Amino acid sequence: MQDLRIGIIGVGVMGADHAERVVRRISGARLVAVSDPDLPRANALAESLSRPAGIAEQTGAANGSGAIRVIGDPLDLIADAQVDAVIIASPGFAHAEQLMACLEHAKPVLCEKPLTMDTESSLRVVEAEHKLGKQLIQVGFMRRFDPEYAALKELLDSGELGRTLLLHNVHRNKTVPDTFRSEMIVRDSLVHEVDVARWLFDDEIAKITVHAPKPTGLVANGALDPQFAILEMASGAIADVEVFVNFQVGYEVRCEAVAEKGSATIGLGVDVLTKRAGQWGGVVPEDYRARFGTAYDIEVQRWVDATRRGEIDGPSAWDGYAAAAVCTAGIQSLQEGRPVEVEMARKSEVLG
Ligand code: ISE
C-alpha cells in the first residue's frame, strides 16, 4: 500500500510538532505539504524537514519523503491532488471553513481541538460529514491516547471499582501568550477535560458551571485565570476541573476518579525521583509536547493506519461537536456567573 501523503495546515507550536512527528516517527505516511500565513516560518520548517535528520547542509529527501511543498492558501492545500489527508493545526477560528473544504474534497482530516468555535458551526460540520455517509473527521483529543489515561479508562470500564461517581481534574500550563483570554481558557484548555469526562463516563454533560476565583496577579491581559468548572453528567455523576494556564511552574495534568469501591489517579508525574543538594524531587514537564509526546505519537500513528483502511480511530466529529456545545455553555456560565444547561441535538436525530 502507498504511503499516506499528508498536508499540515498551521505550523505553529502544535503543527510543527506534528510535522516533525510525521517525518521522523510515523510509518506509512509522508509529509508532502505545509501551509501557514507566516510564510518564512512555513518555508523554514519545510526546508529543515526536507533534509535527513542531523545533516544540515544537505537538501533533498528525508526518510525517502522528498521535498515538502509550501502552499500559501490552506484551501489549495486541501484541494491539492498530491495530498491524501490533512492535519489541521491552525487556530480554532479557521477550523470550520477548512473542515468543510476537507469534506468537499473527501479528504480525511485530523483536526486539533476545538472542532469549531461554537455549537452551531460544529453541528453544521457534523451534518455535512453525515451527508457524505463516511466518517472523515477525527478530533485531536490526545488524552484518550495517553497510556495513563487509557489504563484509567480500562480500569473504570472493567467495573472492578464499581460505578464511577466523581472525577477531579487538574490542568495547569506554565504560561500562555497574552492573546490567551478567558474564553480561550474554556474553549482551548478546559475542552480537553470536557472530552475526558464524556469519554470516561461514556455520557453527555448536561450542565456546566465555570467559577472564576480572584485571578492570579501574574497575567496582564485581565484573563480570568484560574477557572474552576463543575460538569454535571446526564446520569448524575459530577466532574470538577481546575484550569490554571499561568501556573508558572510547568505543565501538570492530573485526573482522579472516585468510584464506589476505590479511586484511581493518573498524572502524578512520578518518573525518576532524585535526591540532591538537600532536596528530593523530579521534573515537571515544560508543556504538553513533553507530557503528551507519546500520546501524540500513538494518536497520529493510529490515525494514519485507520485512514489507510478508510476509517477513523478516535474521537469523532460528534465528540468535537459535543465538546463545543459544553464549552459554549461554559463561556456563558463564566460571563453570567451561573450554571448553564448544555444545549445540543440528540445524536439519534442527527446521525440516525
Ligand atoms: C493547548 O492548545 C493545548 O491543547 C494544551 O493541551 C493545553 O494544555 C493548553 O492549555 C492549550 O492552550
Side-chain angles (χ1 to χ4, degrees), residues 45-120:
L45 182 85
E47 214 224 304
S48 74
L49 289 177
S50 291
R51 284 187 226 121
I55 306 178
E57 347 35 82
Q58 204 175 318
T59 52
N63 295 342
S65 64
I68 298 159
R69 283 186 300 145
V70 174
I71 302 179
D73 186 333
L75 300 182
D76 288 342
L77 180 146
I78 293 167
D80 196 286
Q82 305 301 314
V83 172
D84 301 322
V86 179
I87 295 178
I88 295 181
S90 52
F93 62 78
H95 289 187
E97 184 186 34
Q98 293 167 1
L99 284 165
M100 286 302 199
C102 287
L103 294 177
E104 193 187 314
H105 293 278
K107 299 275 166 95
V109 51
L110 176 62
C111 179
E112 278 301 333
K113 39 86 320 205
L115 183 69
T116 70
M117 300 295 275
D118 55 38
T119 317
E120 289 72 31

Side-chain angles (χ1 to χ4, degrees), residues 186 190 193-194 197-198 201 203-211 228-241 322-334 336-344:
V186 176
L190 174 66
E193 279 64 39
V194 164
R198 294 185 60 252
F201 281 121
D203 192 13
E204 294 299 352
I205 295 164
K207 196 190 275 185
I208 177 169
T209 314
V210 182
H211 296 276
F228 185 78
I230 298 177
L231 313 176
E232 296 176 55
M233 311 306 298
S235 66
I238 288 188
D240 63 60
V241 192
V326 176
C327 290
T328 301
I331 290 169
Q332 192 184 342
S333 168
L334 190 65
E336 297 176 5
R338 63 176 184 89
V340 173
E341 310 265 349
V342 176
E343 280 182 31
M344 60 182 283

Side-chain angles (χ1 to χ4, degrees), residues 113 142-143 171 173 180 188-189 192 251 288:
K113 39 86 320 205
M142 79 299 198
R143 282 159 172 65
H171 178 166
N173 292 202
F180 212 91
D188 282 73
S189 302
H192 282 295
Y251 193 66
Y288 39 90

